[in-house]
Amino acid sequence: MKFSKPRILALSLLAAAVAAAALVPAELLAAQSKKVKKAAKAVVAKKAPGIDYTGEFVNFGQWKEVQQFLDDMVSKHGFERKELDAMLQQVRYVDAAVQLVKPAPPGKPKNWHAYSSRFIEPIRINAGVAFWNQHRDTLARAESQYGVPAEVIVGILGVETIYGRDTGRFRVMDVLTTLAFAYPLAPNREARMAFFRSELEATLLYARSTGSDPFALLGSYAGAVGLPQFMPGNIAKYAVDFDGDGKVDLRNSPGDAIGSVAAFLVGHGWQREQAGPLVYTARVSPSRAWEAYVNQGLEAKYRREDLSTAGVVTTSSLPEGMLYGLVDLQNGSDPTEYWVGTPNFYAITQYNRSYFYAMSVVELGRAVSLSRKEL
């Protein structure tokens, strides 16, 4: 089926999203430098190119795959078919979402320093200090109840939305429908479409259970919602009413966001009893026997003796009785950084399946904590 796409600068979309959320590069310990502050002001002053959040109407109801999805919603969950058909008439195709989920061009090297500089910067650090100070009691209660340090929760909320400053302006129904049935060509296209269909299903169930309008739910270009950017399926599984007002509101309640992040991490393997750092700096030997431990999944599954025998040396001693994993952070043409990750570090990777993401959470949380102590 042919249809026209909105007039957008597709290649500029990703840059626009990064410019809006990432801001200015800076090393963690250079946060207070005049040069960084001056650069931050310059970036903030720039206006990002427009993004088409509304999209255009496409008659998804004529698509065979959509018809099958609606049939499943009726048979599995008892939805009224007429209501679903009417709802589908409101859905719009959002080409911006399609462009933004496209993978990076092949051959472009990963660069940890470039990635992390988008998050470990003055705007997020200062906002994190203010957020922590304002919600210190709630963060302390979450740490006590779930065993997740405030530093980690603050790191996640800072990386995700700068503490609620940018929770997304796309209608979740639009982007999830678009990605569930019109995902761009990619090696994992079928798996990704299946994922977004499950999230669309979760959105409809969530709206029905809460008596809310599914089209009132706003989020990111991938359908993530609120301060913690939960996908709809995770709202049902892990979101909690942590402020005690009788409802879960991840978009407007920092308390619910704080408790829900902690609950998510516990549900993905966070260990309360784990003491010490989340990651340990490491060196690797020229023998390269350690290469067998790289890219072995987002899971801590090796004994410290295994890593040591393979030539991985940490700058401080690893606690006994725990499993670990070898984390490689590529830096483009510069040397790769190596770290040894704990089970709790790998719990963070379940929030976003990336070493870069998890390390940014760790570093931002640490930077915010240090800044609070300096005040």
Side-chain angles (χ1 to χ4, degrees):
M1 177 181 180
K2 295 183 179 179
F3 52 86
S4 62
K5 296 183 178 180
R7 295 180 179 179
I8 60 174
L9 296 176
L11 295 179
S12 72
L13 286 170
L14 185 55
V18 170
L23 304 176
V24 60
E27 293 296 333
L28 173 61
L29 298 180
Q32 302 304 319
S33 72
K34 294 181 180 180
K35 182 178 180 180
V36 170
K37 289 182 178 180
K38 182 177 179 181
K41 292 180 180 179
V43 172
V44 172
K46 293 181 179 180
K47 291 186 65 176
I51 293 179
D52 185 352
Y53 294 98
T54 58
E56 63 179 314
F57 175 74
V58 170
N59 193 350
F60 282 107
Q62 295 182 351
W63 297 19
K64 179 180 178 181
E65 294 83 358
V66 178
Q67 291 288 326
Q68 182 60 57
F69 173 80
L70 298 183
D71 289 341
D72 291 342
M73 294 301 294
V74 171
S75 62
K76 288 171 58 178
H77 304 296
F79 279 87
E80 293 290 337
R81 181 57 186 262
K82 289 183 179 180
E83 293 181 6
L84 292 176
D85 287 337
M87 191 179 298
L88 206 62
Q89 292 301 307
Q90 302 179 54
V91 175
R92 300 179 71 84
Y93 171 89
V94 184
D95 188 63
V98 175
Q99 301 302 328
L100 286 164
V101 299
K102 285 184 177 180
K108 184 176 181 179
K110 296 180 179 180
N111 192 313
W112 159 242
H113 286 159
Y115 179 96
S116 62
S117 67
R118 296 158 47 191
F119 303 105
I120 320 305
E121 47 80 32
I123 300 294
R124 289 178 202 261
I125 294 172
N126 293 335
V129 170
F131 182 87
W132 195 331
N133 289 340
Q134 183 178 358
H135 302 288
R136 59 168 63 88
D137 292 341
T138 304
L139 287 162
R141 181 160 58 91
E143 185 166 344
S144 174
Q145 181 171 330
Y146 293 101
V148 180
E151 186 173 299
V152 173
I153 299 173
V154 168
I156 286 177
L157 294 176
V159 168
E160 290 291 344
T161 61
I162 319 179
Y163 311 100
R165 293 189 187 184
D166 183 11
T167 57
R169 289 184 283 167
F170 292 95
R171 291 201 308 184
V172 170
M173 281 289 294
D174 292 339
V175 295
L176 289 181
T177 304
T178 298
L179 297 176
F181 301 103
Y183 196 87
L185 292 177
N188 61 345
R189 182 173 187 265
E190 293 302 320
R192 296 306 292 165
M193 288 200 299
F195 168 76
F196 285 111
R197 288 177 193 180
S198 71
E199 293 298 333
L200 180 58
E201 177 182 7
T203 300
L204 293 171
L205 291 170
Y206 172 78
R208 185 174 69 175
S209 68
T210 58
S212 57
D213 177 5
F215 290 96
L217 195 62
L218 302 179
S220 73
Y221 65 85
V225 175
L227 277 78
Q229 293 290 275
F230 270 23
M231 294 300 290
N234 283 331
I235 295 176
K237 294 177 183 177
Y238 303 108
V240 297
D241 173 21
F242 206 61
D243 63 10
D245 67 351
K247 61 181 180 180
V248 174
D249 185 356
L250 298 181
R251 192 171 181 87
N252 301 300
S253 171
D256 288 356
I258 289 168
S260 298
V261 167
F264 178 96
L265 291 175
V266 169
H268 287 81
W270 186 275
Q271 300 177 8
R272 173 190 293 269
E273 65 278 7
Q274 180 187 310
L278 297 175
V279 287
Y280 295 81
T281 56
R283 301 188 310 274
V284 293
S285 71
S287 69
R288 311 194 74 82
W290 47 267
E291 287 184 339
Y293 296 92
V294 175
N295 297 325
Q296 295 302 309
L298 300 176
E299 180 184 358
K301 53 187 177 182
Y302 303 112
R303 300 174 304 157
R304 66 176 189 173
E305 293 82 5
D306 298 329
L307 296 174
S308 177
T309 301
V312 178
V313 179
T314 54
T315 54
S316 57
S317 180
L318 299 178
E320 295 183 1
M322 285 175 52
L323 296 177
Y324 300 93
L326 183 58
V327 177
D328 62 322
L329 302 179
Q330 300 173 39
N331 276 315
S333 59
D334 294 328
T336 297
E337 291 183 22
Y338 293 95
W339 299 73
V340 169
T342 64
N344 284 351
F345 173 82
Y346 283 95
I348 299 174
T349 68
Q350 302 309 303
Y351 208 102
N352 182 311
R353 299 179 66 82
S354 162
Y355 287 159
F356 280 16
Y357 174 88
M359 281 298 298
S360 292
V361 166
V362 172
E363 293 295 302
L364 178 58
R366 183 183 301 162
V368 173
S369 180
L370 289 173
S371 292
R372 289 185 75 237
K373 294 175 182 178
E374 293 172 356
L375 296 178

